[in-house]
Amino acid sequence: MENFLSKEDIKVSKQFESKGYVVAKTKSVKLLNEINTVIFEVLKKYVKKKKLTENEKTLNQIHKFIDKKKLNTIRLKIFDKINKSKKIKKLFFLSAKKYLEILVGNELAMQNRINLSIQLPNDDSSLLDVHSDVWSGDSPFEIVVWLPLVDCFRTKSMYLLKPKYYDKFEKNFSKFAKKDSESIFKSINKNINWIKINKGNVLIFNQTLPHGNRVNLEKETRWSLNCRFKSVFSPYGDKQIGEFFAPISLRKMSEIGMKYKLPKI
């Protein structure tokens, strides 16, 4: 098969294949500023002190200022505001556009809603057990963009099974049919990569690989956003276009081709 990819395309693709992810600069200060504005608009209504400094340090230590019982309410209010903003959605896409086009293509569909995760220290209410998105009906053609709003490391971040161990895991997968997700995690624990990523970077990862998070044992709160992207014309799983995804970069010839009808004789 002929390959006309550029040297950079090949380099990024090989890194993604071998590591299961790519970390890159977001190049979007506007995006982080827009998200911060939304977050602090909500937080000011729930914090335990009158003045709230709008910076990363406050986000890292927010568990000291909010009632944990109101965490989900806060998260949902921020989530709702973020997803009502077309500007944030576009900036989120642009933050990873270069790498999405290298790894997925330039005619993309984007998940309708950007997800928000807030994980307080030692809080087990926001856990995402080990999983692969395709196990719950997502298409294997999807990719995930994960944006940290604070520096993330160790248990304050997420983990991903290293690709070189996936084939062995897949061959033994049937052994876990009657076991829980914790059994799966224990079986891969030695072969996972805890992804270190700082604010200002973006993570693009292979969601077919088992991944998840654990109880945050660090002394800081994790804040992150994530959203799925796929090629418009690649196969869909249970989550269809129009219901879960929307086209965001359809090209003109595709529009023309989709509308074209042969003339009647």
Side-chain angles (χ1 to χ4, degrees):
M1 182 180 72
E2 289 184 307
N3 189 339
F4 296 151
L5 296 176
S6 69
K7 289 183 179 179
E8 183 178 19
D9 291 347
I10 294 171
K11 180 181 178 180
V12 171
S13 298
K14 285 183 176 179
Q15 180 184 339
F16 185 80
E17 184 177 25
S18 63
K19 297 179 70 175
Y21 68 91
V22 171
V23 172
K25 290 286 185 183
T26 63
K27 296 182 180 178
S28 184
V29 175
K30 287 183 180 179
L31 170 61
L32 296 174
N33 289 341
E34 287 288 331
I35 294 170
N36 264 12
T37 297
V38 169
I39 288 173
F40 283 101
E41 278 179 3
V42 175
L43 286 180
K44 286 175 182 177
K45 298 177 182 179
Y46 291 91
V47 293
K48 296 177 181 178
K49 64 177 186 176
K50 293 181 180 179
K51 291 185 179 180
L52 196 67
T53 307
E54 298 183 16
N55 58 25
E56 185 178 352
K57 184 177 179 180
T58 300
L59 293 181
N60 273 320
Q61 300 300 319
I62 201 64
H63 51 279
K64 297 178 180 179
F65 310 124
I66 61 171
D67 183 347
K68 291 182 180 181
K69 294 179 181 178
K70 295 181 179 179
L71 177 62
N72 197 47
T73 299
I74 293 170
R75 189 188 68 81
L76 290 174
K77 287 187 178 295
I78 297 172
F79 169 84
D80 186 57
K81 283 181 174 290
I82 285 174
N83 284 291
K84 283 181 178 177
S85 171
K86 291 183 179 180
K87 186 175 183 179
I88 287 178
K89 285 186 176 181
K90 184 174 182 179
L91 287 171
F92 189 95
F93 159 63
L94 292 175
S95 73
K97 180 177 183 288
K98 174 183 175 180
Y99 294 90
L100 287 171
E101 291 187 347
I102 290 174
L103 296 168
V104 185
N106 65 2
E107 291 189 286
L108 298 167
M110 180 179 182
Q111 183 178 318
N112 289 328
R113 294 186 176 185
I114 299 171
N115 296 316
L116 168 67
S117 175
I118 308 172
Q119 192 178 12
L120 309 180
N122 302 308
D123 180 15
D124 61 1
S125 67
S126 302
L127 297 185
L128 196 59
D129 291 331
V130 61
H131 68 288
S132 164
D133 294 359
V134 294
W135 298 348
S136 56
D138 285 279
S139 167
F141 291 85
E142 295 169 22
I143 201 168
V144 177
V145 174
W146 198 88
L147 180 76
L149 304 180
V150 292
D151 292 352
C152 294
F153 50 90
R154 296 191 296 269
T155 56
K156 190 188 172 190
S157 186
M158 61 163 282
Y159 63 82
L160 185 72
L161 179 66
K162 296 175 183 178
K164 65 180 180 180
Y165 296 107
Y166 180 75
D167 286 345
K168 182 179 179 180
F169 169 79
E170 184 183 38
K171 289 177 182 177
N172 294 317
F173 190 67
S174 61
K175 295 180 181 179
F176 300 103
K178 296 182 180 180
K179 296 183 179 181
D180 58 16
S181 58
E182 185 64 17
S183 298
I184 298 177
F185 176 76
K186 288 179 179 178
S187 75
I188 67 171
N189 189 21
K190 294 180 180 179
N191 301 322
I192 60 176
N193 186 11
W194 284 98
I195 297 172
K196 184 180 185 300
I197 178 170
N198 292 335
K199 178 183 177 181
N201 292 327
V202 64
L203 168 72
I204 304 99
F205 74 88
N206 177 359
Q207 50 87 36
T208 67
L209 295 171
H211 59 279
N213 65 7
R214 304 288 286 177
V215 172
N216 178 7
L217 300 178
E218 316 311 322
K219 296 179 180 180
E220 300 172 344
T221 295
R222 186 188 100 188
W223 293 76
S224 63
L225 301 175
N226 71 80
C227 190
R228 296 181 181 90
F229 293 83
K230 68 186 299 299
S231 172
V232 171
F233 298 108
S234 62
Y236 289 79
D238 293 341
K239 298 170 182 177
Q240 296 293 312
I241 194 165
E243 298 172 358
F244 193 80
F245 287 96
I248 58 169
S249 55
L250 202 61
R251 305 294 167 162
K252 184 51 63 178
M253 199 60 229
S254 293
E255 292 180 5
I256 292 171
M258 290 167 71
K259 294 176 182 177
Y260 181 78
K261 295 181 181 179
L262 282 170
K264 295 181 180 179
I265 298 176

